[in-house]
Amino acid sequence: MSDEELAESTRGMIAGWDGSGERRKQPSLGRQVNLSLLRFPDTAQAETALHRLADRQSENLPGDSVQLPKFPQARAKWSVSKKYLDAWLTHDAMALYVHVEDPLSEPAELAPLIDFAQKYFQKQIEMLASYTPTPVDQLGSLPLDVDGILSRTLPLEEKDRIRKDYDNSMVLPVRAALHFENLPGLTKAAFDDAGVDFVSFSSARLFRARDADSATRLLAAFADQDSDGYRKIDSPPNMPGARCFDNKDTKSTSARYPPVCYFAYDRYVARVTGHNLQELYQRTAAQYKLLVH
């Protein structure tokens, strides 16, 4: 839908979050999920937006209405031909949405997808119990750069922006940062061990650990992850402590394994990527200078 139609359908929305996951590393080789959570001023506005969005989606992607036994108040739609389930639910002033599909199962099975959707709703509602919404009039006062971490992160170049007028640089608390990791389960264990509290995102990623020793362990954990897709390469000149990798498949252009360097400085670990090795080494050296100086 257009930006205007989306704005009309979600009138009153204060904030929204989304996440996604794959059953396997290779997309479309197993179950896939997309989750969304929208915050509204009150339950009535959340309910109204939910029905607008669900109605609009049904127009685009028809399916059969089904019921979730544990959440009879939810709206759910099943497409046997596309092998996916969509489900919507309001909880207080929140609208919850889950899209789950299983492209490989033959014949298409609805029951496992209903089970997953119900587990998602149960877990999401459980997690919302500890969520305290920031009052709307205080949103503008939230810090954009926690403790100056973003100012020490390599800035985003215009060619790497989603849009020329949009810079999505940000500082995230550690739990939110997991949404941007390819292997969130392994990364969470590494974050917990290293005491990571904030992650800065821009042209590079900067992870703040508990102390220097913790940063060293986090560096080792990052270097071990995804080793099946990477091959070790030389470090940038005069940076022997950096650990750098490139795609094992020299003919591949997969965005999953871009050339990457990791290094630790004080309590920080930097993850720097580039489009080629020359750019990677230049960016890594520039990120190091930002941390040192």
Side-chain angles (χ1 to χ4, degrees):
M1 62 178 73
S2 66
D3 289 347
E4 293 77 13
E5 188 177 3
L6 179 63
E8 176 63 23
S9 297
T10 58
R11 196 186 317 146
M13 188 180 76
I14 296 167
W17 302 264
D18 66 81
S20 62
E22 306 270 354
R23 179 67 179 85
R24 294 180 172 84
K25 291 183 181 180
Q26 185 66 32
S28 301
L29 289 184
R31 186 177 297 170
Q32 305 167 65
V33 299
N34 294 87
L35 314 172
S36 295
L37 181 65
L38 310 179
R39 175 189 166 194
F40 292 86
D42 52 50
T43 303
Q45 291 186 63
E47 188 78 26
T48 298
L50 181 150
H51 288 295
R52 284 176 177 160
L53 291 169
D55 289 344
R56 182 65 166 83
Q57 186 192 49
S58 293
E59 293 174 9
N60 289 346
L61 303 167
D64 299 321
S65 294
V66 295
Q67 190 172 60
L68 306 187
K70 294 182 180 179
F71 296 94
Q73 73 276 32
R75 284 189 60 171
K77 181 190 67 181
W78 158 245
S79 172
V80 64
S81 61
K82 300 293 185 180
K83 302 180 182 179
Y84 68 72
L85 174 75
D86 290 306
W88 301 82
L89 179 72
T90 52
H91 175 72
D92 294 334
M94 297 284 188
L96 287 63
Y97 167 65
V98 55
H99 170 93
V100 54
E101 59 184 285
D102 184 354
L104 294 186
S105 292
E106 289 291 348
E109 294 184 274
L110 173 60
L113 305 189
I114 286 181
D115 182 60
F116 183 93
Q118 293 186 139
K119 286 180 178 178
Y120 161 64
F121 286 147
Q122 288 173 322
K123 185 63 177 178
Q124 185 64 81
I125 291 171
E126 174 190 322
M127 295 175 71
L128 283 171
S130 61
Y131 169 65
T132 302
T134 301
V136 176
D137 61 358
Q138 295 179 23
L139 289 173
S141 65
L142 295 177
L144 295 176
D145 186 5
V146 179
D147 297 339
I149 301 174
L150 187 60
S151 66
R152 303 183 72 185
T153 308
L154 199 64
L156 193 66
E157 298 180 49
E158 187 173 297
K159 66 183 178 69
D160 293 325
R161 295 185 180 188
I162 299 173
R163 298 194 308 265
K164 287 186 177 181
D165 60 343
Y166 179 65
D167 185 343
N168 62 333
S169 302
M170 54 190 167
V171 179
L172 295 177
V174 63
R175 188 173 188 91
L178 288 172
H179 285 271
F180 295 85
E181 294 293 325
N182 287 330
L183 301 170
L186 291 176
T187 303
K188 183 180 185 305
F191 282 175
D192 290 346
D193 174 68
V196 175
D197 57 357
F198 286 100
V199 181
S200 176
F201 287 72
S202 196
S203 188
R205 295 190 193 182
L206 203 59
F207 306 85
R208 189 171 74 175
R210 182 184 302 108
D211 49 40
D213 289 341
S214 301
T216 300
R217 293 197 306 275
L218 183 62
L219 171 63
F222 280 146
D224 287 341
Q225 284 188 18
D226 272 347
S227 58
D228 56 334
Y230 275 124
R231 58 185 172 88
K232 195 176 187 307
I233 58 175
D234 292 337
S235 303
N238 303 313
M239 291 189 66
R243 302 180 67 174
C244 301
F245 305 86
D246 198 359
N247 199 316
K248 277 185 178 179
D249 183 357
T250 56
K251 297 180 180 179
S252 173
T253 58
S254 171
R256 183 176 175 82
Y257 297 105
V260 61
C261 283
Y262 301 96
F263 70 85
Y265 177 80
D266 191 30
R267 63 185 292 199
Y268 297 95
V269 173
R271 177 194 289 163
V272 186
T273 60
H275 296 93
N276 54 61
L277 294 187
Q278 180 181 6
E279 182 181 64
L280 173 66
Y281 288 168
Q282 290 174 341
R283 286 182 172 182
T284 303
Q287 177 60 73
Y288 181 77
K289 289 186 70 174
L290 275 174
L291 281 174
V292 173
H293 297 290

